[in-house]
């Protein structure tokens, strides 16, 4: 094994760039990484470039500098669709389900690129989110906010991704639902799947994070385990309200 | 007896023609609604696409007839229909490749697509007139009636006759088959579901690995089939004339919009709403009322609410009323 | 630079028309010029709606036809007998119809309880009352000398006054349509206007009491002397001979030139007004609304009212053009109005010319009209060439030659698509 074995499973290294070829830079030398079995969380104040960092990892941004490696392979120049085929599962913040289609059809569409039998994967998703099994013939748009997020995560899991990326999965859901979603995400991570998520609810997210990235103005401000960051007085003062 | 006569007269002059016409409109409107769903624009060339498909079918019908191939009591056009669909499929795919794809890549605004479709409309219209001429063509052969008015009178002993034209029966049978096949395809097959997914949420569909160009291709092929079937059924039932087909655009769009643009179920419902209103409002109801009302109340006039030439007005008024009170149509359509 | 381009393009149109005069005949050239000027006015109207305000009106044909109807209603002499027979009853019927509609709107807006059954009852009773009064009037009017009139006639005004009246008629219809349909999304508005145009034509074809329906009104008054009178005037014949022309040719040219001068005057007046509007704060606001309706609304602009304004103005211009055209033809023939010719062709003119630019619209009107006319002889010539090798009596050859006329639609479509693809802002783009 060479140097790649020491490299994290998914890493965006020293990413600099913005939207479009000529748009202003939003990210500045920003590094984000995640390993199997881990939950990595990106937090930071509004406009810090959290979602942008995740989109950069997913190829929705033009990088001027830096590189993205997945499982030791350079994927910097792949399109988002190609990255899905390479094993990235991405759950957008909004518009992340097919509202007019049933829950089951949403999952089927998640597995669209697979030509093999995906009924096992679907059973796993239903095990993870039992409520979806009950509602599998209902239109996804009729579900509650938390259930819709479960559909969205389930859809992304259907490709059997090597890494799961969630853009603010708890935006707009109640605290109880948020806790439940986090429980499910921990469960997903326990299976060995690396999970990377952007979170607005920094305190709760860092509490379940193995690794945390605090971004400010598109650059890494603080990095550490979730516990370290929660304990860091500077982080507490500036982002967690003391 | 009078009530029976009234029912028979109503069926003969209103129900049967309206069901046949409604089925034709519904298939036409399904094509319009699918384009709107997937390609996200109102296709002004749809009437002329129907005309093209019908024209090719007619040409092959003539060829078969000259070779002595017929379907017996059924119209020969049914045999030529698949060829018409194939030719129309090639035409719309060619049009997409040469015209629409450029604007799709540019992510042009829907209104640009509409204007482009007006250009396509001119070309298809010219093409059809160039090949078959602007005149009226009748191409229905085989048995004209399944039940003729005279036979029905003899059998039932009623004053009123009930006629069922072969073309009307074929329209309904074919329409049911087409609609069933379409819904089976959209709801049960992987490709059909991917079309619905693309229509529902384009970005997420891309993320799921659905190939948009393939979705567009399949859509055009389905639309070509729907347009040709609708055109041939209409032509068998009435007659084929390029200008009439261009004018069908209005009731077809009215059907699609009334039902909810982008909703296949809505397109079907809209087709029947428009057809029934058109026939009811422009048919002289005197005969039917004459059976039902006592002599003293019998109407003097024809009780024709509007002259038949005002049928466009009917589509239009329903369209405006629905849009004013339920802007997304009867079945919730989508808006681009 | 852009000014040279504009001048060059207009120069090209001039060369084309003069070339037609030299190569074909001056009569044809003037015919093209006159209808080109009328087309330019129509294009100006559509450009006001689409280019300035982004309104997608595909009911141009309806407004053009209403302008033509205006000529009959304004300039034809009244038919006294018909008025005596049933004119008042007919008008009363129409008033009842209007009252029923206004009443229905009033009931609906009142917001009272149980308004729906009340509304339905009002509409049903109103409809039959309207039909009873109105039908009687129509019957009486249409019975009066049906071979010649059978209609109410007009106001007997000078025909030049009919042009603004045609515009007013179109404006009135546009106001009513705009009130109901302008709130709709662009493609819904398109279908709605398409439908209205068909309805206008249906009314004009069917309501014989109005303008004789498909029996047509011929021999409309005209603003210029008749050729036959000119040929009999000694002074005219003398002047014609002085120019070396025979009196018959001279008289047709004189009349056509007269129309050209009248039409050019109208076009110039409207063009100047449209230019002033474009550069005024009103025009800037229109374009601001077109480019970002949400932002304009947020800034407190009354978008709906502005849209209604520009819709009415644009339709009025189309109405004026329609009246001019009917005057030029000397007859009103509702059966000849076809959407491809009177709606979509005007759209081709605006898009090819350059939407948002008044000069572009005028250029598009003249140029596309020239092509529309000349594609036909060209198509025939092309087919002659193509079929040269074929057998004299071959059915293919006959078919191709007969079908040459349909090349028009084909070529208009190709021109539109080519311009949209390679010069999407038109020949003279908006500044």
């Amino acid at each position: 094994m060479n140097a790649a074995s020491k490299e994290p499973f998914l890493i965006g290294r020293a990413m600099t760039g913005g939207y479009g070829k000529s748009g202003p830079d939003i990210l500045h030398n920003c590094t984000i990484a995640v390993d199997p079995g881990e939950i990595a969380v990106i937090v930071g104040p509004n406009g810090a470039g959290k979602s942008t960092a995740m989109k950069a990892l997913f190829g929705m941004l033009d990088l001027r500098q830096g590189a993205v490696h997945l499982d030791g392979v350079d994927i910097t120049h792949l399109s988002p669709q190609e990255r899905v085929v390479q094993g990235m599962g991405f759950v957008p913040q909004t518009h992340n389900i097919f509202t007019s289609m049933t829950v089951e059809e949403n999952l089927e569409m998640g597995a669209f690129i697979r030509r093999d039998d995906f009924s096992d994967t679907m059973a796993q998703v239903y095990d993870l989110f039992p409520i979806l099994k009950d509602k599998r013939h209902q239109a996804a748009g009729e579900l509650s906010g938390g259930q819709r997020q479960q559909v969205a995560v389930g859809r992304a899991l259907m490709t059997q991704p090597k890494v799961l990326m969630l853009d603010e999965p708890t935006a707009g859901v109640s605290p109880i639902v948020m806790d439940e979603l986090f429980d499910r995400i921990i469960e997903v991570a326990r299976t060995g799947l690396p999970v990377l998520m952007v979170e607005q609810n920094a305190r709760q997210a860092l509490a379940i994070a193995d690794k945390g990235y605090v971004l400010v103005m598109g650059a890494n401000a603080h990095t550490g385990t979730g516990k370290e960051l929660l304990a860091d007085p500077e982080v507490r003062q500036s982002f967690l309200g003391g | 007896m009078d009530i029976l006569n009234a029912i028979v007269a109503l069926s003969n002059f209103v129900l049967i023609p309206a069901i046949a016409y409604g089925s034709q409109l519904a298939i036409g409107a399904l094509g319009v609604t699918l384009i709107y769903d997937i390609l996200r624009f109102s296709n002004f060339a749809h009437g002329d696409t129907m005309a093209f498909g019908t024209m090719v079918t007619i040409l092959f019908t003539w060829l078969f007839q000259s070779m002595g191939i017929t379907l017996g009591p059924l119209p020969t056009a049914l045999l030529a229909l698949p060829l018409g669909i194939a030719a129309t499929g090639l035409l719309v795919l060619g049009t997409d490749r040469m015209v629409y794809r450029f604007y799709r890549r540019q992510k042009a605004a829907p209104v640009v697509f509409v204007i482009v479709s007006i250009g396509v409309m001119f070309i298809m219209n010219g093409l059809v007139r160039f090949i078959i001429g602007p005149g009226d063509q009748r191409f229905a052969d085989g048995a004209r009636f399944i039940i003729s008015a005279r036979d029905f009178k003899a059998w039932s002993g009623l004053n009123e006759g009930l006629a069922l034209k072969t073309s009307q029966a074929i329209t309904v049978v074919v329409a049911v088959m087409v609609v069933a096949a379409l819904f089976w395809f959209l709801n049960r097959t992987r490709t059909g579901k991917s079309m619905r997914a693309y229509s529902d949420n384009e970005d997420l569909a891309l993320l799921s690995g659905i190939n948009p160009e393939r979705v567009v291709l399949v859509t055009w092929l389905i639309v070509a089939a729907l347009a040709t079937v609708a055109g041939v059924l209409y032509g068998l039932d009435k007659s084929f004339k390029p200008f009439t087909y261009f004018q069908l655009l209005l009731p077809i769009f009215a059907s699609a919009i009334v039902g909810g643009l982008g909703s296949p179920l809505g397109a079907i419902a809209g087709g029947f709403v428009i057809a029934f209103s058109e026939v009811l409002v422009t048919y002289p109801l005197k005969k039917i009322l004459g059976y039902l009302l006592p002599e003293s109340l019998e109407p003097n006039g024809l009780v024709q609410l509007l002259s038949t030439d005002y049928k466009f007005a009917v589509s239009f008024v329903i369209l405006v009323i629905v849009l004013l009170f339920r802007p997304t149509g009867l079945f919730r359509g989508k808006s681009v | 630079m852009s000014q040279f381009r504009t001048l060059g393009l207009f120069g090209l149109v001039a060369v084309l028309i003069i070339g037609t005069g030299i190569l074909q005949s001056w009569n044809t050239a003037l015919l093209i010029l006159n209808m080109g000027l009328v087309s330019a006015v129509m294009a100006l109207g559509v450009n006001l709606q689409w280019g300035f305000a982004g309104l997608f009106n595909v009911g141009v044909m309806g407004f053009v036809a209403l302008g033509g109807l205006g000529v009959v209603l304004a300039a034809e002499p009244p038919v006294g007998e018909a008025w005596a027979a049933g004119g008042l009853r007919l008008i009363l019927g129409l008033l009842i119809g209007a009252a029923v509609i206004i009443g229905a709107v009033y009931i609906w807006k009142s917001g009272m309880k149980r308004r729906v059954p009340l509304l339905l009852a009002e509409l049903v009773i109103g409809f039959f009352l309207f039909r009873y009064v109105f039908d009687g009037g129509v019957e009486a009017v249409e019975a009066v000398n049906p071979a010649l009139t059978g209609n109410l006639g007009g106001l007997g005004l000078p025909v030049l006054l009919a042009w603004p009246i045609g515009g007013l008629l179109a404006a009135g219809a546009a106001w009513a349509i705009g009130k109901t349909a302008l709130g709709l999304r662009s493609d819904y508005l398109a279908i709605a206007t398409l439908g209205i145009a068909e309805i206008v034509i249906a009314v004009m074809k069917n309501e014989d009491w109005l303008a004789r329906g498909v029996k047509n009104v011929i021999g409309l008054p005209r603003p210029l002397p008749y050729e036959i009178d000119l040929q009999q005037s000694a002074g005219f014949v003398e002047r014609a001979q002085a120019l070396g022309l025979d009196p018959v040719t001279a008289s047709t040219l004189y009349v056509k030139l007269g129309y050209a001068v009248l039409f050019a005057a109208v076009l110039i007046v409207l063009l100047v007004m449209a230019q002033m509007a474009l550069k005024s704060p009103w025009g800037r606001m229109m374009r601001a609304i077109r480019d970002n309706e949400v932002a304009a609304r947020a800034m407190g602009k009354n978008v709906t009212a502005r849209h209604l304004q520009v819709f009415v103005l644009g339709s009025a211009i189309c109405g004026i053009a329609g009246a001019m055209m009917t005057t030029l033809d000397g007859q009103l023939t509702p059966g000849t109005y076809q959407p491809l010719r009177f709606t979509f062709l005007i759209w081709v003119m605006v898009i090819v010319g350059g939407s948002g630019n008044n000069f572009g619209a005028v250029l598009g009107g003249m140029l596309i009209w020239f092509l529309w006319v000349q594609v036909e002889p060209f198509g025939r010539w092309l087919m002659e060439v193509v079929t040269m090798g074929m057998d004299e009596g071959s059915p293919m050859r006959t078919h191709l030659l007969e079908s040459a006329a349909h090349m028009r639609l084909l070529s208009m479509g190709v021109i539109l698509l080519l311009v949209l693809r390679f010069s999407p802002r038109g020949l003279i783009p908006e500044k």
Side-chain angles (χ1 to χ4, degrees):
Chain A
M1 278 292 181
N2 51 23
S5 61
K6 275 176 263 162
E7 180 179 86
F9 187 75
L10 169 69
I11 179 162
R13 187 182 290 119
M15 299 183 292
T16 300
Y19 293 101
K21 289 265 181 290
S22 55
D25 285 351
I26 301 171
L27 296 179
H28 304 281
N29 200 21
C30 175
T31 297
I32 307 281
V34 62
D35 264 321
E38 263 186 5
I39 297 178
V41 173
I42 308 174
V43 297
N46 279 332
K50 303 186 295 284
S51 286
T52 310
M54 179 168 278
K55 285 177 181 161
L57 281 168
F58 193 58
M60 294 163 92
L61 204 67
D62 289 309
L63 283 188
R64 233 176 302 287
Q65 280 163 37
V68 182
H69 286 204
L70 177 69
D71 201 3
V73 180
D74 186 351
I75 58 167
T76 315
H77 300 292
L78 296 188
S79 70
Q81 285 86 336
E82 288 163 334
R83 292 181 201 217
V84 172
V85 177
Q86 293 299 315
M88 292 177 99
F90 178 63
V91 180
Q93 184 183 347
T94 54
H95 302 290
N96 50 20
I97 56 168
F98 300 110
T99 50
S100 66
M101 303 178 83
T102 66
V103 171
E104 188 150 306
E105 285 172 336
N106 265 276
L107 299 183
E108 281 174 41
M109 286 301 109
F112 192 80
I113 51 172
R114 291 177 59 180
R115 302 309 303 234
D116 54 337
D117 180 15
F118 51 75
S119 49
D120 287 354
T121 319
M122 196 178 281
Q124 284 164 16
V125 171
Y126 283 146
D127 285 345
L128 189 62
F129 304 115
I131 186 78
L132 297 188
K133 189 167 189 178
D134 297 340
K135 306 211 167 196
R136 64 180 184 275
H137 296 305
Q138 217 169 320
E142 293 168 4
L143 303 182
S144 71
Q147 291 164 355
R148 289 161 72 126
Q149 291 301 63
Q150 295 182 16
V151 175
V153 175
R155 188 203 63 83
L157 289 175
M158 286 302 292
T159 49
Q160 289 184 314
K162 295 186 212 158
V163 55
L164 181 65
M165 305 199 294
L166 308 161
D167 193 354
E168 300 204 17
T170 65
V173 303
S174 70
I176 300 170
V177 175
M178 181 174 78
D179 286 344
E180 204 201 315
L181 267 176
F182 280 158
D183 287 346
R184 299 279 175 258
I185 290 165
I186 294 170
E187 235 176 281
V188 171
R190 292 257 165 78
T191 64
L193 182 65
V195 175
L196 175 67
M197 65 180 175
V198 169
E199 258 306 326
Q200 194 71 255
N201 302 306
R203 189 184 290 272
Q204 293 85 339
L206 286 175
I208 64 162
D210 299 294
K211 201 188 275 171
Y213 294 92
V214 178
L215 297 194
V216 177
M217 306 282 282
N220 296 84
H222 305 274
T223 307
T225 66
K227 282 205 185 77
E228 281 166 14
L229 289 175
L230 278 173
D232 185 330
E234 203 182 326
V235 173
R236 289 177 69 100
Q237 203 176 358
S238 40
F239 308 116
L240 306 174
Chain B
M1 226 25 162
D2 274 355
I3 291 185
L4 275 183
N5 271 319
I7 292 172
V8 170
L10 184 73
S11 312
N12 191 34
F13 294 109
V14 177
L15 296 184
I16 292 178
I19 288 172
Y21 181 44
S23 311
Q24 292 148 11
L25 286 186
I27 304 177
L30 274 174
V32 164
T33 239
L34 275 183
I35 298 261
Y36 190 83
D37 242 348
I38 305 294
L39 291 121
R40 298 172 211 279
F41 71 96
S42 302
N43 182 14
F44 270 61
H46 197 74
D48 291 299
T49 312
M50 282 167 59
F52 182 86
T54 314
M55 176 193 74
V56 176
T57 308
I58 292 175
L59 293 178
F60 278 109
T61 305
W62 287 344
L63 179 71
F64 289 151
Q65 284 169 342
S66 71
M67 289 159 61
I69 305 171
T70 62
L71 275 179
L74 295 177
T76 315
L78 288 184
L79 210 57
L81 182 60
L83 294 164
I85 291 175
T88 314
L90 286 178
L91 177 80
V92 293
L93 286 185
T95 311
D96 186 73
R97 179 60 61 90
M98 285 169 63
V99 182
Y100 293 119
R101 193 169 69 171
F102 172 79
Y103 299 96
R104 211 161 41 243
R105 295 210 167 139
Q106 292 213 319
K107 299 204 183 304
V111 72
V112 173
F113 278 94
V114 176
I115 296 175
V116 168
S117 82
I118 289 176
V120 173
M121 173 184 87
F122 265 105
I123 292 179
M124 286 187 178
N125 200 301
L127 201 62
V128 170
R129 288 176 196 224
F130 189 82
I131 296 176
I132 204 168
D136 227 349
Q137 313 285 351
R138 290 180 182 276
F139 58 103
D141 53 3
R144 195 160 143 67
F145 289 102
I146 291 179
I147 306 171
S148 81
R150 196 192 306 157
D151 292 348
F152 181 84
K153 278 189 207 169
W155 171 80
S156 65
L158 293 171
N159 294 339
E160 284 300 322
L162 180 78
L164 179 63
K165 287 200 281 180
T166 315
S167 60
Q168 292 166 332
I170 288 176
T171 294
V172 174
V173 171
V174 172
V176 169
M177 281 163 47
V178 164
V179 169
L182 180 67
F183 278 78
W184 173 81
F185 176 78
L186 288 178
N187 290 313
R188 292 279 176 270
T189 66
R190 184 168 173 269
T191 309
K193 285 178 191 175
S194 73
M195 277 173 63
R196 282 168 53 223
Y198 181 83
S199 139
D200 182 313
N201 188 335
E202 191 176 333
D203 292 330
L204 195 62
L206 293 179
L207 278 188
S208 305
I210 292 170
N211 178 358
E213 285 303 308
R214 198 178 124 80
V215 168
V216 167
L217 178 112
V218 174
T219 306
W220 276 120
L221 287 178
I222 295 174
V223 167
L226 289 170
T228 309
V229 169
V232 168
L233 291 178
Y234 185 88
L236 281 175
D237 200 17
K238 283 146 188 152
S239 71
F240 170 79
K241 191 180 178 193
F243 184 61
T244 316
Y245 276 56
F246 164 77
Q247 282 188 313
L248 274 179
L249 202 60
L250 189 62
I252 282 178
F253 261 104
S255 306
I257 294 175
V258 163
L261 209 44
S263 155
L265 261 173
I268 297 168
F272 285 102
V273 168
I274 296 287
F276 268 85
S277 333
E278 252 186 40
V279 175
L280 258 182
V281 174
T282 55
Y283 176 72
L285 298 167
K286 178 183 168 71
K287 206 168 201 174
I288 298 163
L289 292 177
Y291 285 114
L292 292 178
L293 298 174
E295 202 144 333
S296 55
L297 282 177
E298 219 170 278
N300 297 321
L302 289 169
V303 203
Q304 181 182 19
L305 298 179
L306 282 174
S307 125
T308 29
D309 298 278
Y310 287 127
K311 57 176 193 236
F312 291 123
V314 180
S315 325
F316 175 77
V317 169
I318 296 173
L319 178 73
V320 168
I321 291 176
V322 169
L323 285 183
L324 288 180
F325 295 104
R326 206 183 152 86
T328 48
L330 298 175
F331 290 71
R332 202 167 9 142
K334 61 157 75 184
S335 53
V336 169
Chain C
M1 183 62 209
S2 72
Q3 254 143 11
F4 286 119
R5 187 186 162 95
T6 308
L7 272 179
L9 284 164
F10 274 103
L12 173 74
V13 172
V15 167
L16 287 174
I17 292 178
I18 292 170
T20 306
I22 295 169
L23 293 173
Q24 286 173 292
S25 79
W26 287 104
N27 210 8
T28 313
L30 282 176
L31 269 175
I32 293 177
L33 175 66
N34 283 339
M35 266 314 290
L37 290 167
V38 171
S39 301
V41 175
M42 291 180 194
L44 214 50
V46 173
N47 184 44
L48 205 58
Q49 296 174 340
W50 169 246
F52 281 34
L55 291 178
F56 200 58
N57 171 15
V58 283
V60 182
M61 172 179 78
F63 300 110
V64 169
L66 279 175
L69 178 65
V71 177
V72 172
L73 296 187
E76 277 285 282
V79 182
E81 231 181 306
W83 276 101
L88 290 180
R89 179 170 178 177
L90 196 154
I91 298 292
L92 180 69
L94 285 179
L95 289 178
I96 291 174
V100 170
I101 293 173
I102 293 169
V105 173
Y106 181 77
I107 292 175
W108 181 256
K109 287 201 172 152
S110 71
M112 65 176 93
K113 277 184 205 161
R114 307 182 141 274
R115 60 182 173 169
V116 175
L118 186 67
L119 185 72
L120 287 178
E122 197 257 9
L123 282 175
V124 170
I125 295 171
F127 179 77
F128 284 105
L129 185 66
F130 158 74
R131 284 295 295 261
Y132 174 74
V133 177
F134 178 75
D135 287 6
V138 168
E139 220 167 291
V141 168
E142 290 179 359
V144 176
N145 198 1
L148 278 178
T149 55
N151 67 337
L152 286 174
L155 300 171
L157 296 171
V159 71
L160 284 184
L161 267 183
W163 297 0
I165 289 177
L168 279 178
L169 207 58
W175 182 82
I177 296 160
K179 266 297 197 194
T180 41
L182 273 183
L184 304 178
R185 262 176 30 211
S186 65
D187 35 1
Y188 287 4
L189 177 69
I191 301 297
T193 47
L194 192 69
I196 298 229
E198 292 290 349
I199 293 173
V200 167
I201 301 301
V203 168
M204 284 174 57
K205 277 184 182 167
N206 283 287
E207 303 303 319
D208 288 9
W209 58 270
L210 190 61
R212 304 192 74 232
V214 285
K215 290 184 285 181
N216 303 337
V217 178
I218 53 169
L220 287 169
R222 45 195 262 183
L224 293 163
Y226 284 88
E227 286 86 346
I228 197 89
D229 295 335
L230 285 175
Q231 289 157 26
Q232 278 158 4
S233 129
F236 181 82
V237 173
E238 204 172 290
R239 262 176 291 151
Q241 273 158 352
L243 283 168
L245 291 166
D246 78 286
V248 176
T249 318
S251 65
T252 60
L253 290 183
Y254 175 85
V255 171
K256 289 198 173 70
L257 266 176
Y259 276 120
V261 170
L262 283 174
F263 291 170
V266 173
L267 177 63
I268 288 168
V269 168
L270 289 174
L271 181 61
V272 168
M273 282 164 63
Q275 274 305 96
M276 278 160 57
L278 184 68
K279 289 185 177 143
S280 70
W282 182 84
R284 279 198 297 277
M285 178 174 61
M286 272 307 167
R287 278 174 291 160
I289 292 176
R290 177 196 66 188
D291 294 337
N292 193 339
E293 205 175 304
V294 180
R297 241 182 243 283
M299 290 192 316
K301 306 285 180 214
N302 187 345
V303 173
T304 319
R306 293 289 89 74
H307 275 172
L308 186 62
Q309 231 169 23
V310 81
F311 187 68
V312 168
L313 280 175
S315 304
I317 293 180
C318 292
I320 293 173
M324 285 157 56
M325 188 185 76
T326 301
T327 310
L328 179 67
D329 293 343
Q331 56 182 356
L332 181 69
T333 49
T336 53
Y337 288 95
Q338 297 214 348
L340 279 176
R341 157 72 183 85
F342 286 101
T343 294
F344 294 107
L345 188 66
I346 312 300
W347 269 89
V348 176
M349 292 169 179
V350 173
I351 304 278
V352 169
S355 40
N357 188 317
N358 291 317
F359 289 99
V362 171
L363 175 85
M366 312 265 309
L367 183 64
I368 292 295
W369 180 256
F370 175 85
L371 293 172
W372 176 256
V373 174
Q374 294 292 23
V375 157
E376 206 177 322
F378 176 77
R380 199 163 297 127
W381 172 81
L382 189 74
M383 285 302 149
E384 297 273 3
V385 173
V386 168
T387 58
M388 207 118 77
M390 290 187 197
D391 216 14
E392 197 54 45
S394 102
M396 187 67 183
R397 184 190 153 119
T398 333
H399 177 81
L400 284 177
L401 287 179
E402 275 173 7
S403 304
H406 306 301
M407 297 259 296
R408 259 183 182 181
L409 298 168
L410 211 72
S411 44
M412 288 305 131
V414 171
I415 290 171
L416 178 63
L417 289 184
L418 286 178
V419 168
L420 277 173
R421 177 73 157 261
F422 298 107
S423 175
R425 279 149 52 77
L427 295 177
I428 309 181
E430 184 183 356
K431 285 188 192 79

